[in-house]
Amino acid sequence: MQSPPPSNIYSIIIPVLVIGVVLFFRVRRMSVKRPFKLGTLWIVPAIFLAITGLTLAQSPPHGLDWVWIALALLLGVALGWQRGRLMKIWVDPESGSLMTQGSGWALVFLVALLVVRMVLREGLVMEASAGAIDIGLINSAFVVFALGLFGTQRAEMALRAQRLKADHVNEGGVI
């Protein structure tokens, strides 16, 4: 008779399945050329700003914890800028409207971020269970990282889209 698998195996299997399902839908969505809605880019960062505010209010960092929070934000900003650059944005020559499509590199980047997050989270949770790190700080850092990532990604995309739009108008096109 076999012994049951360790209960920790589910903490690996469930996230892998969820990531697999999310990636399946992301790949399908990324292959489609879509209109780029410049006016709605603020929605996701606003949601993450609210989540970040609530998270930090619930578990406020103290002392040197703010350094880790700032580092998480800076890392999120740097990676968000890169992720935004990987998204394809162009002006449709026929309609003059902005269009977007995910790139293969954007998907690779997303997968790499998810894998690093899973591995890092598992390691940090083990450290937290040993009492070395505050679990609230880990959660806050991941939320602040996401705010930096998604906010900066959309800011980079908005700036690039506005430049493309202005260039198109200056060339005599209509948007």
Side-chain angles (χ1 to χ4, degrees), residues 95 110 138:
S95 68
L110 179 64
I138 294 169

Side-chain angles (χ1 to χ4, degrees), residues 17-30 107:
L17 289 174
V18 169
I19 289 171
V21 169
V22 168
L23 287 177
F24 172 76
F25 288 109
R26 291 289 295 174
V27 168
R28 287 184 53 200
R29 188 172 176 213
M30 288 176 68
L107 180 63

Side-chain angles (χ1 to χ4, degrees), residues 7-174:
S7 61
N8 199 13
I9 193 80
Y10 298 113
S11 68
I12 296 170
I13 291 174
I14 292 172
V16 167
L17 289 174
V18 169
I19 289 171
V21 169
V22 168
L23 287 177
F24 172 76
F25 288 109
R26 291 289 295 174
V27 168
R28 287 184 53 200
R29 188 172 176 213
M30 288 176 68
S31 64
V32 176
K33 297 174 183 176
R34 297 176 284 128
F36 186 71
K37 298 173 184 155
L38 198 55
T40 61
L41 288 177
W42 64 272
I43 296 172
V44 170
I47 291 169
F48 272 94
L49 184 62
I51 291 170
T52 300
L54 292 171
T55 300
L56 293 177
Q58 181 182 7
S59 179
H62 303 287
L64 289 178
D65 291 353
W66 284 106
V67 172
W68 293 109
I69 297 296
L71 287 173
L73 180 63
L74 288 174
L75 184 61
V77 166
L79 294 175
W81 191 262
Q82 184 59 36
R83 186 165 184 244
R85 288 182 52 218
L86 293 172
M87 300 300 290
K88 298 176 189 174
I89 302 173
W90 70 95
V91 176
D92 184 330
E94 293 175 14
S95 68
S97 60
L98 289 167
M99 301 294 290
T100 188
Q101 181 181 14
S103 71
W105 285 113
L107 180 63
V108 169
F109 189 79
L110 179 64
V111 170
L113 277 177
L114 290 172
V115 169
V116 167
R117 181 190 177 275
M118 277 180 45
V119 170
L120 188 60
R121 186 173 189 101
E122 285 300 314
L124 291 173
V125 166
M126 283 190 262
E127 289 292 322
S129 66
I133 298 176
D134 177 21
I135 195 78
L137 176 61
I138 294 169
N139 188 46
S140 296
F142 278 120
V143 169
V144 169
F145 171 82
L147 172 65
L149 180 80
F150 294 124
T152 307
Q153 173 193 351
R154 281 158 175 75
E156 194 284 331
M157 291 172 69
L159 290 172
R160 195 160 30 108
Q162 288 172 342
R163 280 193 306 265
L164 288 168
K165 189 174 165 181
D167 289 348
H168 184 72
V169 169
N170 289 340
E171 294 171 0
V174 178

